[in-house]
Amino acid sequence: MGLEGDEYTNLSEEEPSKKKSWFKCNLKRRYVVAILAFLGFCNIYMLRVNLSVAVVAMTANQTHILPDGTVHVSQDFDWDSKTRGFILASFFYGYILTQIPGGYLATRYGGKRIFLWGITATAILTILTPPLARMHTSLLIATRIIAGLCEGVTYPSIHAIWSRWAPPLEQSRITAFAFSGIYMGTVIAMPLAGCIAEYISWDAIFYVFGLIALVWCALWWAIVEDSPDQDRSITDSELDYLRNTIGVTTKEADIHPPWKDILTSKPVWAIIIAHFAENWGFYTLLTSLPMFMSDVLDYPLDAAGILAALPYILMAIVVQISGYIADTFRENGKLTTTRIRKLFTCGAYLGQSVFMLLVALFMKRGVSTVFLSLALGLGGLTWAGFGVNHLDVAPNYAAILMGISNTVGTIPGILSPTLTGALTADGTESEWRNVFLITALVYFLGALLYGLMASGERQPWSLPQEPMQTLVSSEPEKGEMNYGAVGGEAVATSNDQYYEEEEYYYEEGDGELVDGGECLDTADQANLVENEQTQY
């Protein structure tokens, strides 16, 4: 159909809003939400990755000047590799428990407060980390577990935001942009934490990152709303556009998720498996890359922090590009949604598997850095694949599906650092080689299973049970096209057909035109399906 963004007839967003606005901005409000979500994910990963760098400084030899002037060199914490691995993994013991509850609460009550609460609590705990760690190692571990519990609600709750703020043909680029904050946060955190540890102290890492996150929390609370209907700064035309393409409502969902159908759905399991595979490689390097560069490549701490950030710079760039390309393919009908999701996910995993094998074979400073950067960079493609696939198969349960997939996707955060710590007790090249070979195998299996099971079609169990109703803000002129919503799906109705009591509605799938279950024709991206029995 060649529809792009807001370029729908009768929805050009020409007139300014007359609403009272606390924050005036020329950007459309959905893009403001996306920018703040991007910064939110930056903070999430700054709060998460800081310990990966700090633990190197906490266990390194430090020069201490005693009150009597004596110079003493010692470690602040005498942890072996297994203890370090357990400390790094402890965050995920809490993180895994709140994914599904976070998705349910965000779906029922809205994502704004749940997302905010998770980051605020984690920021406060981060600021408290240094004094608690000095008291006892067990308190540090407990703090990280609780921080994981708090941050576990963030991923699923953001999908509740997108279900109300991201139009269908902008879903890939908006979600990919927001999720790219993950990698930019890592890019910022690793070199900044390394420099702070090198030139100030490891304690300051936690104080700086915690305070930055609290500033973001204040902005999110003041600017973002759960739904466009509640936003005082949105223009009337953008509100109409979102209401008509998404089916925006201020009423909280009275949800009864079809758990059996969800847990027995092959497309859902494809997303779960893909999430596990991506997170295995991501968490392996997120928690261990500074140690690898220090142990094997023999980089100093500040240089290791900067070089460890390079793969995430590439990943952030790839995420942006992939989201735009995926939406472009959907708009111009070159590929079906299913093929797009498989192409981006499976292509990324196969490439990552190859580069991980190359890292295992060539453990040299320059070569290893390049291959690791390429391997992680390709992971950015997956956010235009499985990362947005939840919104394809069940938009009304997307937050819950993200909670489920990220629960399983959190298991690598527990297993990988612990396994890496056990495998790299001496920090030798042969020990690290095994780590990369295991990661390559996980990527390959993820590509194989996702390719066999994934789908971009909305699943029957996610369709609304109530009679379909359209949400059209104003009656179109005869002969013009207007867009509404039927059960959360985008709708196109021609007023010529409207007066004849016929309706055409927009359906995404694998490109089949269907009337009463009979295939009539094929299209590549979006189809208009005639249903004469449905009243407008």
Side-chain angles (χ1 to χ4, degrees):
M1 287 167 32
L3 302 176
E4 295 186 16
D6 299 356
E7 296 176 4
Y8 293 80
T9 307
N10 278 5
L11 292 175
S12 58
E13 301 186 29
E14 295 177 352
E15 295 184 6
S17 173
K18 296 180 181 179
K19 300 175 182 293
K20 182 179 179 181
S21 173
W22 293 103
F23 294 90
K24 293 184 178 180
C25 179
N26 292 328
L27 275 177
K28 293 182 175 65
R29 294 301 287 181
R30 60 186 182 275
Y31 301 146
V32 173
V33 174
I35 291 170
L36 284 170
F38 166 87
L39 295 174
F41 278 107
C42 282
N43 279 285
I44 286 171
Y45 267 78
M46 288 173 67
L47 296 173
R48 186 182 303 188
V49 78
N50 51 25
L51 185 60
S52 300
V53 178
V55 73
V56 179
M58 294 165 79
T59 56
N61 287 328
Q62 305 283 343
T63 300
H64 302 278
I65 301 176
L66 301 179
D68 60 0
T70 304
V71 177
H72 178 64
V73 178
S74 65
Q75 298 171 302
D76 286 347
F77 299 92
D78 185 16
W79 297 326
D80 58 24
S81 63
K82 290 183 179 180
T83 302
R84 286 188 296 176
F86 182 72
I87 291 171
L88 291 172
S90 61
F91 174 92
F92 299 99
Y93 290 111
Y95 188 73
I96 195 172
L97 298 177
T98 51
Q99 297 291 324
I100 296 175
Y104 180 86
L105 292 172
T107 301
R108 188 172 183 85
Y109 302 112
K112 171 187 174 178
R113 290 169 181 80
I114 307 299
F115 192 66
L116 174 65
W117 178 85
I119 299 178
T120 303
T122 306
I124 294 171
L125 289 167
T126 298
I127 293 172
L128 295 175
T129 295
L132 292 173
R134 292 186 185 280
M135 291 180 189
H136 202 278
T137 301
S138 61
L139 289 177
L140 170 62
I141 293 171
T143 301
R144 294 295 291 178
I145 292 174
I146 297 171
L149 284 169
C150 298
E151 198 171 294
V153 302
T154 55
Y155 263 80
S157 62
I158 201 64
H159 264 25
I161 294 288
W162 302 141
S163 68
R164 299 183 180 191
W165 279 98
L169 293 183
E170 295 181 17
Q171 283 176 352
S172 297
R173 71 190 71 175
I174 286 179
T175 57
F177 173 76
F179 282 130
S180 68
I182 295 169
Y183 312 115
M184 287 307 300
T186 307
V187 168
I188 295 169
M190 283 192 166
L192 180 58
C195 292
I196 291 173
E198 187 75 17
Y199 300 108
I200 304 177
S201 69
W202 61 262
D203 307 60
I205 296 174
F206 300 98
Y207 299 139
V208 170
F209 290 175
L211 290 173
I212 291 173
L214 289 178
V215 171
W216 172 89
C217 290
L219 292 174
W220 178 267
W221 175 257
I223 297 173
V224 175
E225 298 293 346
D226 280 314
S227 170
D229 300 71
Q230 301 168 350
D231 195 308
R232 290 175 293 192
S233 299
I234 194 170
T235 63
D236 293 328
S237 53
E238 184 182 8
L239 178 59
D240 284 345
Y241 169 65
L242 295 177
R243 181 184 288 126
N244 295 333
T245 55
I246 302 174
V248 179
T249 176
T250 55
K251 180 182 178 182
E252 309 301 352
D254 182 16
I255 57 170
H256 300 284
W259 293 109
K260 181 180 178 181
D261 292 324
I262 290 174
L263 296 176
T264 56
S265 170
K266 284 203 306 182
V268 171
W269 277 102
I271 295 171
I272 292 171
I273 291 168
H275 209 147
F276 179 94
E278 172 59 23
N279 280 8
W280 183 277
F282 183 74
Y283 285 139
T284 296
L285 296 182
L286 181 71
T287 57
S288 306
L289 195 53
M291 286 190 290
F292 169 70
M293 290 190 163
S294 177
D295 291 347
V296 177
L297 304 184
D298 198 29
Y299 283 112
L301 183 58
D302 53 346
I306 294 172
L307 291 171
L310 292 179
Y312 301 100
I313 296 175
L314 180 59
M315 205 169 189
I317 295 171
V318 172
V319 170
Q320 301 291 339
I321 297 172
S322 65
Y324 178 81
I325 294 174
D327 276 343
T328 300
F329 283 161
R330 292 183 73 194
E331 290 168 6
N332 60 28
K334 290 185 177 179
L335 292 172
T336 64
T337 302
T338 297
R339 290 172 183 170
I340 289 169
R341 302 309 180 215
K342 288 184 178 182
L343 174 64
F344 280 83
T345 302
C346 298
Y349 288 166
L350 292 176
Q352 287 176 298
S353 182
V354 170
F355 285 120
M356 283 296 177
L357 288 173
L358 292 174
V359 172
L361 292 174
F362 304 100
M363 289 197 179
K364 304 298 181 183
R365 275 194 172 188
V367 174
S368 293
T369 303
V370 170
F371 288 151
L372 285 171
S373 297
L374 292 173
L376 273 176
L378 284 175
L381 295 174
T382 62
W383 290 109
F386 85 86
V388 71
N389 204 187
H390 314 74
L391 292 164
D392 299 325
V393 300
N396 47 337
Y397 301 120
I400 292 174
L401 296 189
M402 175 58 89
I404 294 171
S405 71
N406 208 28
T407 296
V408 178
T410 301
I411 294 174
I414 298 172
L415 296 181
S416 178
T418 304
L419 179 62
T420 300
L423 291 176
T424 59
D426 298 322
T428 63
E429 286 190 12
S430 60
E431 290 175 337
W432 279 101
R433 182 170 292 111
N434 292 329
V435 173
F436 296 124
L437 289 175
I438 291 171
T439 303
L441 177 61
V442 172
Y443 277 138
F444 177 78
L445 293 176
L448 177 64
L449 294 174
Y450 188 83
L452 292 173
M453 300 167 62
S455 173
E457 296 184 41
R458 183 165 185 175
Q459 299 303 293
W461 46 263
S462 77
L463 295 173
Q465 300 302 313
E466 67 276 9
M468 292 189 293
Q469 297 178 347
T470 56
L471 296 175
V472 180
S473 59
S474 60
E475 182 178 307
E477 296 295 329
K478 187 175 180 64
E480 292 184 334
M481 296 296 290
N482 205 338
Y483 287 75
V486 175
E489 295 293 317
V491 180
T493 60
S494 169
N495 210 42
D496 290 325
Q497 284 86 24
Y498 168 73
Y499 286 111
E500 298 170 6
E501 296 185 345
E502 294 179 355
E503 178 185 3
Y504 289 81
Y505 62 93
Y506 169 77
E507 172 179 284
E508 289 182 18
D510 265 4
E512 294 184 345
L513 283 173
V514 181
D515 184 5
E518 181 181 357
C519 180
L520 302 177
D521 196 357
T522 59
D524 286 326
Q525 180 266 332
N527 312 290
L528 290 177
V529 183
E530 182 172 3
N531 183 355
E532 297 182 0
Q533 298 176 351
T534 303
Q535 298 299 317
Y536 179 74

